[in-house]
Amino acid sequence: MKQIAGGVCAPQGFKAGGTACGIKKNGKPDLALIYSESPAVAAGIFTLNKVQAHPVLLSKEHLRNPQAQAIIANSGNANACMGAEGMKATRQMAESAAQALKIKTEEVLVASTGVIGQPLPVAKITARLEQGLEFLSAGGGHAAAEAIMTTDTFSKEAAVEFELSGKTVRIGGMAKGSGMIHPNMATMLGFLTSDVVISPELLQKALKTAGDKSFNRVTVDGDTSTNDSLFILANGRAGNVLITAESAGFATFLEALTTVCVELAKMMAKDGEGATKFVTITVTGAASEAEALQAGKAVAGSNLVKTALFGEDANWGRILCAVGYSGIDFDPERVEIALGGLPVYQGGMGLAFDEAKAKEILSQKDILITINLNRGGASADLWTCDFSYDYVKINGSYRT
Amino acid sequence: MKQIAGGVCAPQGFKAGGTACGIKKNGKPDLALIYSESPAVAAGIFTLNKVQAHPVLLSKEHLRNPQAQAIIANSGNANACMGAEGMKATRQMAESAAQALKIKTEEVLVASTGVIGQPLPVAKITARLEQGLEFLSAGGGHAAAEAIMTTDTFSKEAAVEFELSGKTVRIGGMAKGSGMIHPNMATMLGFLTSDVVISPELLQKALKTAGDKSFNRVTVDGDTSTNDSLFILANGRAGNVLITAESAGFATFLEALTTVCVELAKMMAKDGEGATKFVTITVTGAASEAEALQAGKAVAGSNLVKTALFGEDANWGRILCAVGYSGIDFDPERVEIALGGLPVYQGGMGLAFDEAKAKEILSQKDILITINLNRGGASADLWTCDFSYDYVKINGSYRT
């Protein structure tokens, strides 16, 4: 497997594009379309929030038949909590895309991201699609990725290539953050494409597994949104032997899919609202992977840890404290904590570490926190960012 | 029952005081002492963090015999995660107080608050106590409350007076916040005194119940500290009929104790780190009180809700979203949300409310969010604050 340039258009038979239809007041791109030239099997995973946006509800409905040929997404409006009008708008969005692409409405997956509780001006979407699809092309993956950005500061794309039964297979993806990011899931949209030949059941299984190891390990602010959606379309153009069981081929595909998802997830953490630092939290010595994740999520979610990282303060006490309230069972005396490889806590107490060295480590853009629970052989990586003034600034006036 | 002026010295037979012994570099008061002139029954509740500071461990040990005559507390250093030296320091702190007060070491409860993982300079405490206890007096409650402040901007005291079996009984209290505040418990210290006559069992029961309805309903930042302790000493000077069962007298005492605890808890939320607004969240129409609390805690803990409140932005979508990920079972279509009495969400969608009116409500210092789940008869109040630039500033450089 190798990482390659590009995003959702990297696999064969996909077109994409982004355009501005007028939802965003500033005129920036706000409408993305991804299209498979031939029918594709499809899978999706969604927010666990009880309050689910209208496009989430519609996409779930459309995925009852796990086949889709297009994804349409808008930014600038979440189309959530809008009652019957909201549901009508999301259906119209799917219908307009279907008409423009000459496919069935049920083969369109829909996603929206932006502010909650304001009417989606769906007429603008319809009008734009009726003007023509000249923005849709095999080179439009990047434009599509840009059109789903909200407070993101850069667009997020990744792609890989690998071999399956002698055929070259590709997976491409795009995603957006960047606040309201917390498993499960984040305020995130992630759209993946592949030319792999796979059954819908195995595609769903691979998507769930890859999502758990990537997007569900990113925290920005602990808020789980109403709109999170991760979709994959697989059109089978690669011509590999059909994957219908958890074979070696499935394992290869899953590894590749996980790689793309992890790349996109890390970009989301790097681009967390107001983030100045990208933080990897590695928990080792856990009794189980679930335990490692539980401990790591508490640390990744701690406002006190994250503000200390922003302040470049080696406040390991807050890290240990967060593990302490994570709910896992452990012996604080046996824990070892290191920052960028520098041991700071061991044997039940803080070490007399070199403050200058710690300051140097924490002044980097990329920070590694390792926590060894010393009680088992399981481990997990999680990704987050620091917590800055700008998070408050961005979120103090998001709606208006 | 009536609220009266004062704090821990309001009940008969208590002295208190605060002084500077040199733990805080800025020379501010950092040592508090509370003393009952006669033996008192005692109770305590503590942080649920797995990482427990040395004074928490020692106070638990001392409370195995539920009698105590003094509370000693320092600010400026949490005495947490310091291994055998930390335990030795906290024992020495208790011994020094016992020697100065001529009581048993086991009758001293100890608390510390401040930075984690730095050696407590306990010799400074011992030296100060050996100089004499002239700072201890029946008028020293306020000075004691000031000496436990860390990032608090004001000291927190409350007291009430009520009748029990024809006798006048008083309860006084003091507390400190103001970051790392999250149930259960907060980074808080709360010390209560009373002249009530009560059995240790019923005192513990009352403390637990009152704590659950007050301090455990305050959230500042979602971090549960290693040092949280809530103590009560009851010296029996009021001469009421001994409370040994859940009688009418117990109910009266519990109501009064809860009043003091709620007052102190509200002050903690008002003085949350960087707070510019005090926020009351009232959840009604819940199937149970636990459900109301679970929903309310998600809202109170949401960084996105809190930054929107700081920005005075009527972003009700974030409130509904937080209820959505709280884990309770409910129908979003039936929920009603109001800000300061102004309905903003109802019938599954946002209402066309008066933005100017909303802005006026949110520009107040004191904000009420009401959430009616419309699925039962239970309710709960919780308290929090907004989330400002200053929270980040305060916590970006706390340790150094």
Side-chain angles (χ1 to χ4, degrees):
Chain A
M1 179 186 57
K2 63 177 180 187
Q3 300 202 24
I4 57 173
V8 291
C9 291
Q12 296 178 60
F14 285 95
K15 287 181 177 172
T19 183
C21 72
I23 299 172
K24 284 182 180 165
K25 288 171 195 163
N26 61 11
K28 288 194 176 173
D30 50 20
L31 185 64
L33 196 57
I34 300 169
Y35 171 64
S36 170
E37 293 165 342
S38 49
V41 291
I45 56 180
F46 299 93
T47 182
L48 297 179
N49 199 311
K50 270 272 172 187
V51 180
Q52 304 203 326
H54 305 295
V56 167
L57 298 170
L58 185 73
S59 295
K60 282 184 173 177
E61 190 183 309
H62 285 186
L63 279 171
R64 274 185 221 145
N65 180 17
Q67 188 165 319
Q69 215 167 326
I71 299 169
I72 185 166
N74 73 277
S75 53
N77 186 306
N79 193 17
C81 310
M82 292 307 300
E85 284 304 309
M87 206 60 212
K88 197 173 148 189
T90 205
R91 279 192 200 282
Q92 192 186 323
M93 201 168 152
E95 277 162 20
S96 298
Q99 277 170 20
L101 293 165
K102 299 186 176 58
I103 58 176
K104 288 184 199 156
T105 301
E106 295 73 36
E107 290 189 327
V108 179
L109 303 178
V110 182
S112 298
T113 178
V115 67
I116 298 173
Q118 297 194 351
L120 176 70
V122 68
K124 292 182 179 176
I125 297 175
T126 302
R128 179 63 192 84
L129 295 174
E130 284 174 353
Q131 273 175 42
L133 296 182
E134 85 296 337
F135 64 92
L136 196 68
S137 76
H142 185 66
E146 289 195 319
I148 60 168
M149 289 165 65
T150 53
T151 52
D152 303 67
T153 64
F154 58 86
S155 62
K156 297 162 186 70
E157 293 178 89
V160 297
E161 182 180 293
F162 55 101
E163 301 287 314
L164 266 189
S165 52
K167 304 290 183 181
T168 299
V169 181
R170 287 178 167 187
I171 300 172
M174 59 188 250
K176 58 87 48 183
S178 63
M180 235 192 222
I181 298 290
H182 192 63
N184 303 282
M185 307 261 298
T187 299
M188 57 145 288
L189 301 179
F191 305 144
L192 302 157
T193 56
S194 180
D195 42 23
V196 71
V197 188
I198 191 168
S199 73
E201 294 74 21
L202 273 293
L203 187 65
Q204 178 70 40
K205 181 156 207 159
L207 186 66
K208 174 77 173 68
T209 306
D212 279 345
K213 289 192 181 291
S214 56
F215 298 109
N216 283 341
R217 295 188 180 189
V218 172
T219 288
V220 168
D221 55 15
D223 277 273
T224 304
S225 112
T226 51
N227 286 61
D228 305 323
S229 302
L230 180 63
F231 297 144
I232 186 166
L233 305 183
N235 66 10
R237 294 281 186 104
N240 59 286
V241 174
L242 173 68
I243 299 172
T244 55
E246 295 190 42
S247 57
F250 177 77
T252 302
F253 172 71
L254 177 58
E255 188 196 345
L257 185 65
T258 303
T259 300
V260 171
C261 289
V262 166
E263 282 305 301
L264 293 171
K266 284 184 178 179
M267 288 181 211
M268 278 172 42
K270 268 184 190 135
D271 197 22
E273 282 172 349
T276 72
K277 293 175 188 304
F278 170 67
V279 184
T280 302
I281 297 165
T282 299
V283 181
T284 62
S288 66
E289 191 181 13
E291 182 180 281
L293 282 172
Q294 193 177 337
K297 280 178 186 177
V299 177
S302 162
N303 287 338
L304 286 171
V305 170
K306 291 151 74 92
T307 47
L309 289 168
F310 172 62
E312 304 183 352
D313 183 5
N315 200 327
W316 57 263
R318 292 181 179 172
I319 297 170
L320 184 63
C321 177
V323 178
Y325 64 70
S326 69
I328 71 160
D329 186 28
F330 73 107
D331 179 358
E333 308 266 318
R334 302 199 60 191
V335 171
E336 292 171 32
I337 299 173
L339 300 173
L342 178 72
V344 291
Y345 173 86
Q346 204 172 318
M349 58 188 296
L351 302 174
F353 58 87
D354 180 345
E355 288 275 355
K357 176 74 182 153
K359 189 82 189 168
E360 189 198 317
I361 288 167
L362 294 175
S363 68
Q364 308 296 313
K365 288 274 165 220
D366 208 320
I367 295 171
L368 173 67
I369 298 175
T370 46
I371 303 161
N372 187 344
L373 301 174
N374 273 314
R375 50 185 254 112
S379 67
D381 287 340
L382 301 89
W383 305 283
T384 186
C385 56
D386 62 340
F387 205 146
S388 74
Y389 296 118
D390 280 353
Y391 177 86
V392 179
K393 187 174 175 184
I394 292 164
N395 286 298
S397 57
Y398 181 66
R399 196 182 58 105
T400 45
Chain B
M1 179 186 56
K2 63 176 179 186
Q3 299 202 23
I4 59 173
V8 291
C9 292
Q12 296 177 60
F14 285 94
K15 287 181 177 171
T19 183
C21 72
I23 299 171
K24 283 183 182 165
K25 290 170 193 162
N26 61 12
K28 288 195 177 172
D30 50 20
L31 186 64
L33 197 57
I34 300 169
Y35 171 64
S36 170
E37 292 164 342
S38 47
V41 291
I45 56 180
F46 299 92
T47 180
L48 297 179
N49 199 309
K50 270 272 171 187
V51 180
Q52 304 204 324
H54 306 295
V56 167
L57 297 170
L58 186 74
S59 295
K60 282 185 172 177
E61 189 182 309
H62 286 185
L63 279 171
R64 275 185 220 145
N65 180 16
Q67 189 165 318
Q69 216 166 325
I71 300 168
I72 185 166
N74 73 276
S75 54
N77 186 305
N79 193 18
C81 310
M82 291 308 299
E85 284 304 309
M87 207 60 211
K88 199 173 146 188
T90 205
R91 279 192 201 282
Q92 192 186 322
M93 201 168 150
E95 278 162 20
S96 298
Q99 277 171 19
L101 293 165
K102 300 183 176 61
I103 58 176
K104 290 183 200 157
T105 302
E106 296 72 34
E107 290 189 328
V108 179
L109 303 178
V110 183
S112 298
T113 178
V115 67
I116 298 174
Q118 297 195 351
L120 176 70
V122 67
K124 291 182 180 178
I125 296 175
T126 302
R128 180 61 193 85
L129 295 174
E130 284 174 352
Q131 273 175 43
L133 298 181
E134 85 296 337
F135 65 90
L136 196 68
S137 76
H142 185 65
E146 289 196 318
I148 59 169
M149 289 165 66
T150 53
T151 51
D152 304 66
T153 64
F154 59 85
S155 61
K156 298 161 186 72
E157 294 178 87
V160 297
E161 182 181 292
F162 55 101
E163 301 286 314
L164 267 189
S165 52
K167 304 289 183 181
T168 299
V169 181
R170 287 179 167 185
I171 300 173
M174 60 189 250
K176 59 86 49 184
S178 64
M180 237 191 220
I181 299 290
H182 192 63
N184 302 281
M185 307 258 298
T187 298
M188 57 144 286
L189 300 179
F191 305 142
L192 302 158
T193 56
S194 180
D195 42 23
V196 72
V197 186
I198 191 168
S199 73
E201 294 74 22
L202 274 292
L203 187 64
Q204 179 70 39
K205 181 155 206 158
L207 186 66
K208 175 77 173 67
T209 307
D212 279 347
K213 289 192 182 291
S214 55
F215 298 108
N216 284 340
R217 295 189 180 190
V218 173
T219 289
V220 168
D221 55 15
D223 276 272
T224 304
S225 113
T226 51
N227 286 60
D228 306 323
S229 302
L230 180 64
F231 297 143
I232 185 165
L233 305 182
N235 66 10
R237 293 280 185 104
N240 58 288
V241 174
L242 174 68
I243 299 171
T244 56
E246 294 190 42
S247 56
F250 177 78
T252 302
F253 173 71
L254 177 58
E255 187 196 347
L257 185 65
T258 303
T259 300
V260 171
C261 289
V262 166
E263 282 304 302
L264 293 171
K266 285 183 179 180
M267 288 181 210
M268 279 172 41
K270 268 184 189 137
D271 198 21
E273 282 174 348
T276 72
K277 293 176 189 300
F278 170 68
V279 184
T280 302
I281 296 166
T282 299
V283 180
T284 62
S288 66
E289 191 181 13
E291 182 180 280
L293 281 172
Q294 192 176 338
K297 280 179 185 177
V299 177
S302 162
N303 287 337
L304 287 172
V305 170
K306 290 151 74 91
T307 47
L309 288 168
F310 172 62
E312 304 183 351
D313 183 5
N315 199 326
W316 56 263
R318 293 181 178 173
I319 297 170
L320 183 64
C321 177
V323 177
Y325 65 69
S326 70
I328 71 160
D329 185 28
F330 73 106
D331 179 358
E333 308 267 317
R334 302 200 60 191
V335 171
E336 293 172 30
I337 299 173
L339 301 173
L342 178 72
V344 291
Y345 173 83
Q346 204 173 318
M349 60 188 294
L351 302 174
F353 58 86
D354 180 347
E355 288 274 355
K357 176 75 182 154
K359 189 81 190 167
E360 188 198 318
I361 288 166
L362 294 174
S363 68
Q364 307 296 312
K365 287 275 165 217
D366 208 321
I367 296 172
L368 173 66
I369 298 175
T370 45
I371 303 161
N372 187 345
L373 301 174
N374 273 314
R375 53 187 251 110
S379 66
D381 286 341
L382 302 89
W383 306 283
T384 188
C385 56
D386 62 340
F387 206 147
S388 73
Y389 297 118
D390 279 353
Y391 178 86
V392 179
K393 186 173 176 185
I394 292 164
N395 287 298
S397 58
Y398 181 66
R399 196 182 58 104
T400 45

